[in-house]
Amino acid sequence: MCGIFGCVLHDGKQAAPLIHSALKRLEYRGYDSIGQVTVDGKTLFVKKDRGRLEEVDAKYNLDDMAGPTGVGHTRWATHGRPAQENSHPHTDCNSTIAVVHNGIIENYLEIKRELEGKGHRFLSRTDTEVVPHLVEQYVRDGMSLEDAFRKTVNRLEGAYSLVLTSTERPKTIICARQESPLVLGVGDGEYYCASDISAFLPITKKALFMDEGEMAVLDPKGIRIMKSRNGQVVRRDPVTITWDPESAKKQGFKHFMLKEVHEQVQSIKDSIRTLPIYYDLFASKIVDAERVFIVGCGTAYHAGLVASQALAKLAQIDARVIVASEFAEEALDLVNDETVVLAVSQSGETMDTLNAVRDAMSRGASILSVTNVMGSTLMRLSDVYIGQNSGPEIGVAATKTFTSQVAVLLRIAAAVGRRTGKVPVSRITEVEKGLHETPDIIQDLLNTKVEVVQRIAESVNNAKSICFLGRGINVPTALEGRLKLLELSYIPVIAYPAGESKHGFISLIEEGFPVVFIAPMDETHKRIIGNIMEMKARGARIISVIQEGDREIRELSDDVIEIPRSLPSLVTPIVYVVPLQLLAYYLSVGKGHDPDYPRNLAKSVTVE
Ligand code: F6R
Protein backbone atom coordinates (compact mmCIF):
# COMPACT_ATOMS: atom_id res chain seq x y z
CA MET A 1 0.00 0.00 0.00
CA CYS A 2 1.55 3.29 -1.09
CA GLY A 3 0.13 6.82 -1.26
CA ILE A 4 -0.21 8.85 -4.45
CA PHE A 5 -1.19 12.46 -5.10
CA GLY A 6 -1.12 14.27 -8.45
CA CYS A 7 -2.33 17.70 -9.56
CA VAL A 8 -2.83 19.90 -12.61
CA LEU A 9 -2.89 23.54 -11.46
CA HIS A 10 -3.41 26.89 -13.17
CA ASP A 11 -0.44 28.31 -15.06
CA GLY A 12 1.92 30.23 -12.83
CA LYS A 13 1.09 28.14 -9.75
CA GLN A 14 3.57 25.68 -8.23
CA ALA A 15 2.48 22.06 -7.76
CA ALA A 16 5.34 21.05 -5.45
CA PRO A 17 4.15 22.62 -2.13
CA LEU A 18 0.65 21.22 -2.67
CA ILE A 19 2.03 17.74 -3.39
CA HIS A 20 4.24 17.95 -0.32
CA SER A 21 1.30 18.85 1.96
CA ALA A 22 -0.88 16.11 0.43
CA LEU A 23 1.86 13.53 1.03
CA LYS A 24 1.80 14.46 4.73
CA ARG A 25 -1.83 13.36 4.79
CA LEU A 26 -1.01 10.15 2.95
CA GLU A 27 2.04 9.09 4.93
CA TYR A 28 -0.04 6.62 6.95
CA ARG A 29 -0.31 4.57 3.72
CA GLY A 30 3.45 4.02 3.54
CA TYR A 31 6.54 5.76 4.82
CA ASP A 32 9.77 4.11 3.76
CA SER A 33 10.52 6.41 0.80
CA ILE A 34 9.22 9.65 -0.69
CA GLY A 35 9.34 11.11 -4.19
CA GLN A 36 7.94 14.01 -6.19
CA VAL A 37 8.01 14.96 -9.85
CA THR A 38 6.96 18.25 -11.42
CA VAL A 39 6.84 19.28 -15.06
CA ASP A 40 7.69 22.75 -16.24
CA GLY A 41 7.54 23.08 -20.00
CA LYS A 42 10.12 20.74 -21.42
CA THR A 43 11.74 19.87 -18.10
CA LEU A 44 10.90 17.13 -15.63
CA PHE A 45 12.11 17.70 -12.05
CA VAL A 46 12.45 14.66 -9.80
CA LYS A 47 13.36 14.51 -6.10
CA LYS A 48 13.21 11.19 -4.28
CA ASP A 49 14.93 9.17 -1.60
CA ARG A 50 14.40 6.62 1.11
CA GLY A 51 13.24 7.91 4.51
CA ARG A 52 10.22 9.61 5.98
CA LEU A 53 8.74 12.76 4.48
CA GLU A 54 10.41 15.22 6.85
CA GLU A 55 13.83 13.60 6.34
CA VAL A 56 13.60 13.68 2.57
CA ASP A 57 12.26 17.24 2.68
CA ALA A 58 15.09 18.38 4.98
CA LYS A 59 17.59 16.97 2.49
CA TYR A 60 16.05 18.15 -0.79
CA ASN A 61 13.47 20.90 -0.05
CA LEU A 62 10.46 19.32 -1.70
CA ASP A 63 8.67 22.68 -2.06
CA ASP A 64 11.30 24.01 -4.39
CA MET A 65 10.42 22.39 -7.71
CA ALA A 66 9.07 24.36 -10.66
CA GLY A 67 5.90 23.69 -12.62
CA PRO A 68 2.10 23.63 -12.25
CA THR A 69 1.78 19.88 -12.87
CA GLY A 70 3.18 17.11 -10.73
CA VAL A 71 2.83 13.91 -8.77
CA GLY A 72 4.06 12.65 -5.41
CA HIS A 73 4.42 9.21 -3.88
CA THR A 74 4.92 7.82 -0.40
CA ARG A 75 6.14 4.24 -0.55
CA TRP A 76 5.60 0.97 1.27
CA ALA A 77 8.12 -1.31 -0.41
CA THR A 78 7.11 -4.57 -2.02
CA HIS A 79 9.62 -5.05 -4.86
CA GLY A 80 13.06 -3.74 -4.03
CA ARG A 81 14.15 -2.56 -0.63
CA PRO A 82 13.78 1.08 0.44
CA ALA A 83 16.56 2.89 -1.44
CA GLN A 84 16.81 6.01 -3.57
CA GLU A 85 16.84 4.04 -6.83
CA ASN A 86 13.72 2.10 -5.84
CA SER A 87 11.78 5.21 -4.75
CA HIS A 88 9.08 6.54 -7.05
CA PRO A 89 8.72 8.24 -9.51
CA HIS A 90 10.45 6.03 -12.07
CA THR A 91 11.40 7.42 -15.43
CA ASP A 92 12.05 6.21 -18.98
CA CYS A 93 15.50 6.16 -20.62
CA ASN A 94 15.38 9.87 -21.53
CA SER A 95 13.77 11.15 -18.32
CA THR A 96 10.80 12.56 -20.19
CA ILE A 97 8.14 10.26 -18.71
CA ALA A 98 7.67 9.75 -14.96
CA VAL A 99 5.39 7.23 -13.30
CA VAL A 100 4.29 6.48 -9.74
CA HIS A 101 2.50 3.27 -8.78
CA ASN A 102 0.63 1.63 -5.94
CA GLY A 103 0.15 -2.12 -6.24
CA ILE A 104 2.01 -5.10 -7.62
CA ILE A 105 2.63 -5.88 -11.29
CA GLU A 106 2.81 -9.65 -11.56
CA ASN A 107 4.19 -9.97 -15.08
CA TYR A 108 6.89 -7.29 -14.81
CA LEU A 109 9.81 -9.68 -15.24
CA GLU A 110 8.71 -10.83 -18.68
CA ILE A 111 8.09 -7.20 -19.78
CA LYS A 112 11.43 -6.13 -18.36
CA ARG A 113 13.29 -8.85 -20.31
CA GLU A 114 11.49 -7.87 -23.50
CA LEU A 115 12.37 -4.18 -23.02
CA GLU A 116 15.98 -4.91 -22.09
CA GLY A 117 16.16 -6.78 -25.37
CA LYS A 118 15.18 -3.54 -27.09
CA GLY A 119 17.91 -1.58 -25.32
CA HIS A 120 16.02 -0.06 -22.39
CA ARG A 121 18.15 0.52 -19.29
CA PHE A 122 16.67 -0.17 -15.85
CA LEU A 123 17.96 1.48 -12.71
CA SER A 124 15.81 -0.09 -9.99
CA ARG A 125 14.63 -3.47 -8.75
CA THR A 126 10.99 -2.42 -8.81
CA ASP A 127 8.12 -3.81 -10.83
CA THR A 128 6.98 -0.21 -11.53
CA GLU A 129 9.92 0.78 -13.69
CA VAL A 130 8.65 -1.30 -16.61
CA VAL A 131 5.74 1.14 -17.00
CA PRO A 132 7.58 4.33 -18.13
CA HIS A 133 9.81 2.22 -20.38
CA LEU A 134 6.91 0.39 -22.00
CA VAL A 135 5.11 3.70 -22.61
CA GLU A 136 8.35 5.09 -24.06
CA GLN A 137 8.64 2.06 -26.34
CA TYR A 138 5.11 2.43 -27.69
CA VAL A 139 5.66 6.17 -28.25
CA ARG A 140 8.86 5.29 -30.15
CA ASP A 141 6.75 2.86 -32.18
CA GLY A 142 4.60 5.83 -33.25
CA MET A 143 1.72 5.95 -30.78
CA SER A 144 0.38 9.03 -29.00
CA LEU A 145 1.23 9.29 -25.28
CA GLU A 146 -2.35 8.51 -24.30
CA ASP A 147 -2.62 5.46 -26.55
CA ALA A 148 0.81 4.26 -25.43
CA PHE A 149 -0.28 4.50 -21.79
CA ARG A 150 -3.53 2.67 -22.51
CA LYS A 151 -1.74 -0.10 -24.40
CA THR A 152 0.76 -0.40 -21.54
CA VAL A 153 -1.97 -0.69 -18.94
CA ASN A 154 -3.63 -3.43 -20.97
CA ARG A 155 -0.40 -5.44 -20.87
CA LEU A 156 -0.16 -5.36 -17.08
CA GLU A 157 -1.32 -8.18 -14.82
CA GLY A 158 -1.83 -7.59 -11.12
CA ALA A 159 -2.93 -4.59 -9.10
CA TYR A 160 -2.14 -0.99 -9.84
CA SER A 161 -3.03 2.59 -9.54
CA LEU A 162 -0.65 4.39 -11.89
CA VAL A 163 -0.09 8.07 -12.53
CA LEU A 164 2.03 9.39 -15.39
CA THR A 165 3.44 12.83 -16.23
CA SER A 166 5.50 13.69 -19.26
CA THR A 167 7.29 16.59 -20.89
CA GLU A 168 5.43 15.75 -24.10
CA ARG A 169 2.17 16.96 -22.47
CA PRO A 170 3.39 19.10 -19.57
CA LYS A 171 -0.09 20.19 -18.47
CA THR A 172 -1.52 16.68 -18.38
CA ILE A 173 -1.67 13.77 -15.96
CA ILE A 174 -2.76 10.34 -17.15
CA CYS A 175 -3.76 7.73 -14.61
CA ALA A 176 -5.32 4.28 -14.38
CA ARG A 177 -6.56 1.89 -11.77
CA GLN A 178 -7.02 -1.85 -11.36
CA GLU A 179 -7.73 -3.14 -7.84
CA SER A 180 -5.59 -0.48 -6.12
CA PRO A 181 -7.50 2.68 -5.20
CA LEU A 182 -7.51 5.97 -7.12
CA VAL A 183 -9.93 8.84 -6.75
CA LEU A 184 -10.08 12.12 -8.68
CA GLY A 185 -10.67 15.58 -7.20
CA VAL A 186 -12.42 18.42 -9.02
CA GLY A 187 -11.31 21.94 -8.10
CA ASP A 188 -11.95 25.30 -9.70
CA GLY A 189 -10.27 24.66 -13.04
CA GLU A 190 -7.69 22.54 -11.20
CA TYR A 191 -7.72 18.76 -10.95
CA TYR A 192 -6.25 16.15 -8.65
CA CYS A 193 -5.82 12.40 -8.33
CA ALA A 194 -5.01 10.53 -5.13
CA SER A 195 -5.00 7.16 -3.43
CA ASP A 196 -7.71 8.39 -1.12
CA ILE A 197 -9.72 11.52 -0.63
CA SER A 198 -7.96 12.49 2.61
CA ALA A 199 -5.16 13.76 0.34
CA PHE A 200 -7.25 16.47 -1.34
CA LEU A 201 -10.05 17.05 1.16
CA PRO A 202 -8.66 20.40 2.41
CA ILE A 203 -8.53 21.57 -1.24
CA THR A 204 -11.82 20.27 -2.65
CA LYS A 205 -14.77 18.22 -1.47
CA LYS A 206 -15.81 17.25 -5.01
CA ALA A 207 -14.65 13.75 -5.93
CA LEU A 208 -14.96 11.37 -8.86
CA PHE A 209 -14.40 7.74 -7.97
CA MET A 210 -12.68 5.64 -10.61
CA ASP A 211 -13.84 2.08 -11.17
CA GLU A 212 -11.73 -0.98 -11.87
CA GLY A 213 -10.25 -1.01 -15.34
CA GLU A 214 -10.62 2.72 -15.95
CA MET A 215 -8.12 5.38 -16.89
CA ALA A 216 -8.40 9.17 -16.79
CA VAL A 217 -6.79 12.16 -18.43
CA LEU A 218 -6.54 15.35 -16.33
CA ASP A 219 -5.65 18.62 -18.05
CA PRO A 220 -6.72 22.29 -17.78
CA LYS A 221 -9.87 21.48 -19.83
CA GLY A 222 -11.10 19.01 -17.21
CA ILE A 223 -11.20 15.29 -16.52
CA ARG A 224 -11.90 12.61 -19.11
CA ILE A 225 -12.54 9.09 -17.79
CA MET A 226 -12.52 6.10 -20.12
CA LYS A 227 -12.37 2.32 -20.06
CA SER A 228 -8.75 1.19 -20.30
CA ARG A 229 -9.73 -1.78 -22.44
CA ASN A 230 -11.18 0.11 -25.42
CA GLY A 231 -10.92 3.82 -24.65
CA GLN A 232 -14.71 4.18 -24.47
CA VAL A 233 -15.55 7.41 -22.63
CA VAL A 234 -17.34 7.05 -19.27
CA ARG A 235 -19.61 9.87 -18.05
CA ARG A 236 -19.74 10.36 -14.30
CA ASP A 237 -20.74 13.27 -12.07
CA PRO A 238 -18.65 14.28 -9.08
CA VAL A 239 -19.98 13.58 -5.59
CA THR A 240 -19.62 15.90 -2.61
CA ILE A 241 -17.69 14.40 0.28
CA THR A 242 -18.92 15.16 3.78
CA TRP A 243 -16.22 13.30 5.77
CA ASP A 244 -13.87 15.21 8.01
CA PRO A 245 -10.14 14.62 7.31
CA GLU A 246 -9.76 12.05 10.13
CA SER A 247 -12.66 9.85 8.96
CA ALA A 248 -11.36 10.21 5.42
CA LYS A 249 -8.11 8.56 6.51
CA LYS A 250 -10.16 5.75 7.98
CA GLN A 251 -12.27 5.73 4.82
CA GLY A 252 -15.39 6.29 6.86
CA PHE A 253 -14.71 3.46 9.31
CA LYS A 254 -14.79 4.41 12.97
CA HIS A 255 -11.38 2.88 13.68
CA PHE A 256 -8.32 1.80 11.74
CA MET A 257 -8.82 -1.73 13.06
CA LEU A 258 -12.24 -2.02 11.43
CA LYS A 259 -10.89 -0.56 8.20
CA GLU A 260 -8.04 -3.07 8.28
CA VAL A 261 -10.43 -5.98 8.88
CA HIS A 262 -12.28 -4.89 5.72
CA GLU A 263 -9.02 -4.37 3.82
CA GLN A 264 -8.29 -8.08 4.07
CA VAL A 265 -10.28 -8.64 0.88
CA GLN A 266 -7.51 -6.79 -0.94
CA SER A 267 -4.49 -7.47 1.27
CA ILE A 268 -4.81 -11.25 0.88
CA LYS A 269 -4.86 -10.83 -2.91
CA ASP A 270 -1.70 -8.74 -2.69
CA SER A 271 -0.01 -11.20 -0.36
CA ILE A 272 -0.36 -14.13 -2.72
CA ARG A 273 0.89 -12.28 -5.79
CA THR A 274 4.59 -12.90 -5.14
CA LEU A 275 6.21 -14.74 -8.04
CA PRO A 276 6.66 -18.53 -7.76
CA ILE A 277 10.46 -18.25 -8.07
CA TYR A 278 10.69 -16.84 -4.52
CA TYR A 279 8.58 -19.67 -3.16
CA ASP A 280 10.75 -22.18 -5.00
CA LEU A 281 13.83 -20.71 -3.37
CA PHE A 282 12.22 -21.01 0.06
CA ALA A 283 11.14 -24.54 -0.72
CA SER A 284 14.61 -25.66 -1.79
CA LYS A 285 16.13 -24.37 1.48
CA ILE A 286 13.46 -26.09 3.59
CA VAL A 287 13.68 -29.39 1.75
CA ASP A 288 17.48 -29.48 2.03
CA ALA A 289 17.49 -28.69 5.76
CA GLU A 290 18.07 -31.28 8.43
CA ARG A 291 15.79 -29.42 10.86
CA VAL A 292 13.26 -26.64 10.40
CA PHE A 293 12.11 -24.25 13.13
CA ILE A 294 9.47 -21.57 12.81
CA VAL A 295 9.71 -18.61 15.21
CA GLY A 296 7.48 -15.62 15.88
CA CYS A 297 5.56 -13.82 18.62
CA GLY A 298 1.87 -13.26 19.21
CA THR A 299 -0.09 -13.32 15.98
CA ALA A 300 2.98 -14.27 13.96
CA TYR A 301 3.47 -17.28 16.22
CA HIS A 302 -0.12 -18.34 15.53
CA ALA A 303 0.44 -18.01 11.79
CA GLY A 304 3.54 -20.18 12.29
CA LEU A 305 1.38 -22.86 13.93
CA VAL A 306 -0.77 -22.99 10.79
CA ALA A 307 2.39 -23.26 8.69
CA SER A 308 3.71 -26.16 10.70
CA GLN A 309 0.53 -28.19 10.16
CA ALA A 310 0.49 -27.27 6.49
CA LEU A 311 4.11 -28.39 6.02
CA ALA A 312 3.25 -31.71 7.65
CA LYS A 313 0.10 -32.21 5.58
CA LEU A 314 1.32 -30.98 2.20
CA ALA A 315 4.99 -31.92 2.31
CA GLN A 316 5.48 -34.35 5.18
CA ILE A 317 8.06 -31.96 6.61
CA ASP A 318 8.42 -31.66 10.36
CA ALA A 319 8.74 -27.99 11.33
CA ARG A 320 8.64 -27.13 14.99
CA VAL A 321 7.09 -23.80 15.96
CA ILE A 322 8.62 -22.02 18.92
CA VAL A 323 7.60 -18.75 20.58
CA ALA A 324 10.60 -16.60 19.70
CA SER A 325 11.38 -15.62 23.30
CA GLU A 326 11.75 -19.33 24.19
CA PHE A 327 13.84 -20.31 21.20
CA ALA A 328 17.24 -20.21 22.91
CA GLU A 329 16.14 -22.44 25.80
CA GLU A 330 14.03 -24.83 23.77
CA ALA A 331 15.99 -25.33 20.63
CA LEU A 332 19.37 -23.65 20.35
CA ASP A 333 21.25 -26.83 21.28
CA LEU A 334 19.70 -28.47 18.21
CA VAL A 335 20.73 -25.74 15.75
CA ASN A 336 23.63 -26.16 13.33
CA ASP A 337 24.50 -25.22 9.76
CA GLU A 338 22.00 -27.76 8.45
CA THR A 339 19.16 -25.94 10.22
CA VAL A 340 16.63 -23.56 8.68
CA VAL A 341 14.88 -21.00 10.86
CA LEU A 342 11.77 -19.46 9.33
CA ALA A 343 11.05 -16.22 11.18
CA VAL A 344 7.65 -14.57 10.86
CA SER A 345 7.24 -10.93 11.86
CA GLN A 346 5.01 -8.17 10.57
CA SER A 347 7.31 -5.37 11.72
CA GLY A 348 10.56 -7.24 11.21
CA GLU A 349 11.78 -5.43 14.34
CA THR A 350 10.41 -7.55 17.21
CA MET A 351 13.34 -7.97 19.58
CA ASP A 352 12.44 -11.51 20.68
CA THR A 353 12.25 -12.68 17.07
CA LEU A 354 15.49 -10.93 16.14
CA ASN A 355 17.26 -12.47 19.14
CA ALA A 356 16.12 -15.95 18.11
CA VAL A 357 17.34 -15.27 14.57
CA ARG A 358 20.72 -13.94 15.72
CA ASP A 359 21.18 -16.91 18.06
CA ALA A 360 20.39 -19.30 15.23
CA MET A 361 22.77 -17.45 12.90
CA SER A 362 25.56 -17.78 15.43
CA ARG A 363 25.20 -21.58 15.04
CA GLY A 364 25.31 -21.35 11.26
CA ALA A 365 21.57 -21.72 10.55
CA SER A 366 20.02 -20.33 7.35
CA ILE A 367 17.37 -17.68 7.95
CA LEU A 368 14.19 -17.43 5.93
CA SER A 369 11.63 -14.79 6.78
CA VAL A 370 8.14 -13.55 6.07
CA THR A 371 7.83 -9.87 6.94
CA ASN A 372 5.72 -6.88 6.03
CA VAL A 373 8.47 -4.28 6.22
CA MET A 374 11.01 -4.29 3.45
CA GLY A 375 14.29 -2.95 4.76
CA SER A 376 13.50 -4.10 8.32
CA THR A 377 16.23 -5.65 10.45
CA LEU A 378 14.71 -9.10 9.97
CA MET A 379 14.72 -8.74 6.22
CA ARG A 380 18.35 -7.66 6.28
CA LEU A 381 19.38 -10.59 8.48
CA SER A 382 17.62 -13.14 6.24
CA ASP A 383 19.15 -15.27 3.52
CA VAL A 384 15.82 -15.23 1.71
CA TYR A 385 12.64 -13.32 2.51
CA ILE A 386 9.12 -13.03 1.18
CA GLY A 387 7.05 -9.90 1.68
CA GLN A 388 3.76 -10.20 3.51
CA ASN A 389 2.62 -7.30 1.26
CA SER A 390 -0.36 -6.26 3.32
CA GLY A 391 0.58 -2.60 3.65
CA PRO A 392 0.91 -0.62 6.89
CA GLU A 393 -1.27 -1.78 9.75
CA ILE A 394 -2.08 1.06 12.12
CA GLY A 395 -4.39 -0.71 14.57
CA VAL A 396 -2.15 -2.21 17.24
CA ALA A 397 -4.02 -5.52 17.10
CA ALA A 398 -2.78 -7.51 14.11
CA THR A 399 -5.63 -8.39 11.75
CA LYS A 400 -4.66 -8.32 8.09
CA THR A 401 -1.25 -9.44 9.29
CA PHE A 402 -2.61 -12.82 10.37
CA THR A 403 -4.50 -13.55 7.18
CA SER A 404 -1.63 -12.39 4.97
CA GLN A 405 0.99 -14.31 6.90
CA VAL A 406 -1.11 -17.47 6.79
CA ALA A 407 -1.69 -17.00 3.06
CA VAL A 408 2.03 -16.60 2.34
CA LEU A 409 2.97 -19.49 4.63
CA LEU A 410 0.42 -21.77 2.94
CA ARG A 411 1.94 -20.91 -0.41
CA ILE A 412 5.36 -21.77 1.00
CA ALA A 413 4.04 -25.11 2.30
CA ALA A 414 2.50 -25.79 -1.12
CA ALA A 415 5.82 -25.04 -2.85
CA VAL A 416 7.63 -27.36 -0.43
CA GLY A 417 4.98 -30.01 -1.08
CA ARG A 418 5.53 -29.83 -4.82
CA ARG A 419 9.24 -30.31 -4.24
CA THR A 420 9.00 -33.25 -1.84
CA GLY A 421 6.32 -34.88 -3.98
CA LYS A 422 5.08 -36.91 -1.03
CA VAL A 423 1.40 -36.00 -1.26
CA PRO A 424 -0.81 -36.02 -4.36
CA VAL A 425 -0.45 -32.78 -6.35
CA SER A 426 -4.23 -32.49 -6.39
CA ARG A 427 -4.22 -31.82 -2.64
CA ILE A 428 -1.70 -29.02 -3.14
CA THR A 429 -3.55 -27.40 -6.04
CA GLU A 430 -6.78 -27.59 -4.05
CA VAL A 431 -5.15 -25.50 -1.29
CA GLU A 432 -3.73 -23.01 -3.81
CA LYS A 433 -7.14 -22.67 -5.43
CA GLY A 434 -8.78 -22.27 -2.04
CA LEU A 435 -6.40 -19.44 -1.20
CA HIS A 436 -7.59 -17.50 -4.23
CA GLU A 437 -11.21 -17.95 -3.13
CA THR A 438 -10.70 -16.48 0.34
CA PRO A 439 -11.00 -12.76 -0.60
CA ASP A 440 -14.45 -13.24 -2.15
CA ILE A 441 -15.67 -15.31 0.78
CA ILE A 442 -14.45 -12.66 3.23
CA GLN A 443 -16.21 -10.01 1.15
CA ASP A 444 -19.47 -12.00 1.37
CA LEU A 445 -18.98 -12.43 5.07
CA LEU A 446 -18.39 -8.71 5.58
CA ASN A 447 -21.45 -7.90 3.49
CA THR A 448 -23.79 -10.18 5.38
CA LYS A 449 -22.53 -11.14 8.85
CA VAL A 450 -21.25 -8.01 10.57
CA GLU A 451 -24.57 -7.35 12.30
CA VAL A 452 -24.76 -10.94 13.54
CA VAL A 453 -21.32 -10.58 15.15
CA GLN A 454 -22.26 -7.19 16.55
CA ARG A 455 -25.33 -8.68 18.21
CA ILE A 456 -23.31 -11.55 19.69
CA ALA A 457 -20.72 -9.05 20.98
CA GLU A 458 -23.46 -7.07 22.73
CA SER A 459 -24.86 -10.22 24.32
CA VAL A 460 -21.48 -11.22 25.85
CA ASN A 461 -20.46 -7.69 26.83
CA ASN A 462 -20.64 -8.49 30.55
CA ALA A 463 -19.12 -11.99 30.43
CA LYS A 464 -16.31 -12.49 32.96
CA SER A 465 -14.45 -14.67 30.49
CA ILE A 466 -14.90 -16.31 27.10
CA CYS A 467 -13.33 -19.43 25.66
CA PHE A 468 -12.33 -20.32 22.08
CA LEU A 469 -12.10 -23.95 21.04
CA GLY A 470 -10.99 -25.44 17.74
CA ARG A 471 -9.44 -28.59 16.36
CA GLY A 472 -6.62 -29.31 13.92
CA ILE A 473 -5.79 -26.38 11.72
CA ASN A 474 -8.19 -24.19 13.70
CA VAL A 475 -6.44 -24.55 17.03
CA PRO A 476 -4.26 -21.59 15.91
CA THR A 477 -7.45 -19.76 14.88
CA ALA A 478 -8.83 -20.26 18.40
CA LEU A 479 -5.57 -18.95 19.86
CA GLU A 480 -5.70 -15.94 17.57
CA GLY A 481 -9.35 -15.28 18.50
CA ARG A 482 -8.32 -15.35 22.13
CA LEU A 483 -5.37 -12.99 21.59
CA LYS A 484 -7.54 -10.44 19.78
CA LEU A 485 -10.26 -10.54 22.40
CA LEU A 486 -8.07 -10.35 25.47
CA GLU A 487 -5.82 -7.58 24.21
CA LEU A 488 -8.80 -5.41 23.23
CA SER A 489 -11.41 -6.20 25.89
CA TYR A 490 -9.06 -6.60 28.90
CA ILE A 491 -10.92 -9.67 30.18
CA PRO A 492 -9.18 -13.03 30.67
CA VAL A 493 -9.89 -15.17 27.62
CA ILE A 494 -9.12 -18.85 27.19
CA ALA A 495 -8.33 -20.96 24.13
CA TYR A 496 -7.69 -24.65 23.83
CA PRO A 497 -7.61 -27.48 21.36
CA ALA A 498 -11.23 -28.56 21.76
CA GLY A 499 -10.27 -32.15 22.64
CA GLU A 500 -8.04 -30.93 25.47
CA SER A 501 -10.80 -28.89 27.09
CA LYS A 502 -12.13 -31.86 29.07
CA HIS A 503 -8.74 -32.23 30.77
CA GLY A 504 -9.19 -29.26 33.06
CA PHE A 505 -10.81 -26.24 31.43
CA ILE A 506 -14.27 -27.82 31.59
CA SER A 507 -14.39 -27.21 35.36
CA LEU A 508 -14.85 -23.48 34.63
CA ILE A 509 -18.10 -24.06 32.79
CA GLU A 510 -21.24 -22.87 34.48
CA GLU A 511 -24.61 -21.70 33.19
CA GLY A 512 -24.15 -19.17 30.39
CA PHE A 513 -20.32 -19.33 30.08
CA PRO A 514 -19.68 -18.29 26.45
CA VAL A 515 -17.70 -20.85 24.44
CA VAL A 516 -16.87 -20.05 20.82
CA PHE A 517 -16.28 -23.06 18.57
CA ILE A 518 -14.42 -22.72 15.29
CA ALA A 519 -16.01 -25.59 13.43
CA PRO A 520 -15.73 -25.84 9.65
CA MET A 521 -16.99 -28.98 7.93
CA ASP A 522 -13.66 -30.76 7.71
CA GLU A 523 -12.28 -34.01 9.07
CA THR A 524 -12.60 -32.67 12.65
CA HIS A 525 -16.34 -32.03 12.32
CA LYS A 526 -17.68 -35.18 14.02
CA ARG A 527 -15.28 -34.87 16.93
CA ILE A 528 -15.95 -31.19 17.54
CA ILE A 529 -19.67 -31.95 17.70
CA GLY A 530 -18.80 -34.23 20.64
CA ASN A 531 -16.97 -31.33 22.31
CA ILE A 532 -19.90 -28.99 21.72
CA MET A 533 -22.23 -31.49 23.39
CA GLU A 534 -19.89 -31.82 26.40
CA MET A 535 -19.95 -28.05 26.89
CA LYS A 536 -23.65 -27.71 26.21
CA ALA A 537 -24.49 -30.43 28.76
CA ARG A 538 -22.81 -28.27 31.42
CA GLY A 539 -24.73 -25.12 30.56
CA ALA A 540 -22.21 -23.33 28.32
CA ARG A 541 -23.58 -20.79 25.89
CA ILE A 542 -22.48 -22.11 22.50
CA ILE A 543 -21.42 -19.69 19.77
CA SER A 544 -20.21 -21.47 16.64
CA VAL A 545 -18.46 -20.31 13.51
CA ILE A 546 -19.68 -22.85 10.97
CA GLN A 547 -20.03 -23.44 7.28
CA GLU A 548 -23.37 -22.29 5.91
CA GLY A 549 -25.80 -25.20 5.81
CA ASP A 550 -24.26 -27.08 8.75
CA ARG A 551 -27.59 -27.92 10.36
CA GLU A 552 -26.16 -30.27 12.96
CA ILE A 553 -24.01 -27.65 14.69
CA ARG A 554 -26.56 -24.91 14.08
CA GLU A 555 -29.12 -26.87 16.10
CA LEU A 556 -26.67 -27.41 18.97
CA SER A 557 -25.64 -23.76 19.14
CA ASP A 558 -27.18 -20.69 20.76
CA ASP A 559 -25.69 -18.48 18.07
CA VAL A 560 -23.96 -19.18 14.80
CA ILE A 561 -21.88 -17.16 12.40
CA GLU A 562 -22.14 -18.84 9.03
CA ILE A 563 -19.26 -18.78 6.57
CA PRO A 564 -20.78 -18.51 3.09
CA ARG A 565 -18.83 -21.27 1.30
CA SER A 566 -16.70 -24.37 1.84
CA LEU A 567 -12.91 -24.30 1.66
CA PRO A 568 -10.11 -26.85 1.91
CA SER A 569 -9.49 -27.35 5.62
CA LEU A 570 -5.95 -25.88 5.60
CA VAL A 571 -7.25 -22.58 4.23
CA THR A 572 -10.12 -22.16 6.70
CA PRO A 573 -8.17 -20.14 9.34
CA ILE A 574 -7.94 -17.24 6.88
CA VAL A 575 -11.70 -16.88 6.71
CA TYR A 576 -12.83 -18.25 10.08
CA VAL A 577 -10.64 -15.77 11.96
CA VAL A 578 -12.49 -12.77 10.50
CA PRO A 579 -15.64 -13.07 12.70
CA LEU A 580 -13.33 -13.45 15.70
CA GLN A 581 -11.55 -10.21 14.80
CA LEU A 582 -14.94 -8.50 14.52
CA LEU A 583 -16.08 -9.97 17.82
CA ALA A 584 -13.00 -8.55 19.55
CA TYR A 585 -13.52 -5.21 17.84
CA TYR A 586 -17.19 -4.83 18.81
CA LEU A 587 -16.62 -6.04 22.36
CA SER A 588 -13.85 -3.51 22.79
CA VAL A 589 -16.02 -0.69 21.44
CA GLY A 590 -18.95 -1.90 23.56
CA LYS A 591 -16.80 -1.64 26.66
CA GLY A 592 -15.79 1.88 25.73
CA HIS A 593 -12.16 1.03 24.90
CA ASP A 594 -10.14 2.28 21.94
CA PRO A 595 -9.49 -0.80 19.78
CA ASP A 596 -6.78 0.99 17.80
CA TYR A 597 -4.61 1.68 20.81
CA PRO A 598 -5.12 -0.95 23.54
CA ARG A 599 -3.48 -0.10 26.85
CA ASN A 600 0.10 -1.21 27.61
CA LEU A 601 0.72 -2.43 24.06
CA ALA A 602 2.92 -1.17 21.23
CA LYS A 603 2.70 -2.01 17.55
CA SER A 604 6.30 -3.11 17.46
CA VAL A 605 7.83 -4.64 20.59
CA THR A 606 11.49 -3.77 20.47
CA VAL A 607 12.40 -4.84 24.00
CA GLU A 608 13.08 -8.32 25.39
C1 F6R B 1 -1.37 -9.12 18.41
C2 F6R B 1 -0.16 -8.46 17.99
C3 F6R B 1 1.15 -8.94 18.55
C4 F6R B 1 2.16 -9.13 17.43
C5 F6R B 1 3.55 -9.50 17.99
C6 F6R B 1 4.56 -9.78 16.90
O1 F6R B 1 -2.50 -8.54 17.86
O2 F6R B 1 -0.18 -7.56 17.22
O3 F6R B 1 1.00 -10.11 19.27
O4 F6R B 1 1.70 -10.12 16.58
O5 F6R B 1 4.01 -8.47 18.82
O6 F6R B 1 4.76 -8.68 16.10
P1 F6R B 1 5.56 -8.80 14.74
O7 F6R B 1 4.73 -9.61 13.80
O8 F6R B 1 5.74 -7.38 14.28
O9 F6R B 1 6.85 -9.48 15.04
Side-chain angles (χ1 to χ4, degrees), residues 297-300 345-347 350 396-398 483-484 487 605:
C297 305
T299 292
S345 171
Q346 187 280 132
S347 61
T350 300
V396 165
L483 178 58
K484 290 299 86 105
E487 68 183 330
V605 184

Side-chain angles (χ1 to χ4, degrees), residues 296-302 344-351 353 370-371 378 388 393 395-399 401 405 480 483-484 487-488 601-605:
C297 305
T299 292
Y301 168 71
H302 298 153
V344 186
S345 171
Q346 187 280 132
S347 61
E349 300 296 346
T350 300
M351 183 62 82
T353 307
V370 174
T371 179
L378 178 60
Q388 181 185 311
E393 194 175 53
V396 165
T399 51
T401 282
Q405 286 175 342
E480 180 61 8
L483 178 58
K484 290 299 86 105
E487 68 183 330
L488 299 181
L601 287 172
K603 187 69 190 161
S604 176
V605 184

Side-chain angles (χ1 to χ4, degrees), residues 445-474:
L445 183 73
L446 292 170
N447 290 344
T448 57
K449 298 293 185 278
V450 172
E451 278 172 25
V452 178
V453 182
Q454 231 170 328
R455 208 170 15 79
I456 296 173
E458 274 163 31
S459 70
V460 294
N461 192 44
N462 294 321
K464 289 197 295 281
S465 177
I466 294 178
C467 178
F468 291 89
L469 298 178
R471 275 183 172 270
I473 200 69
N474 283 301

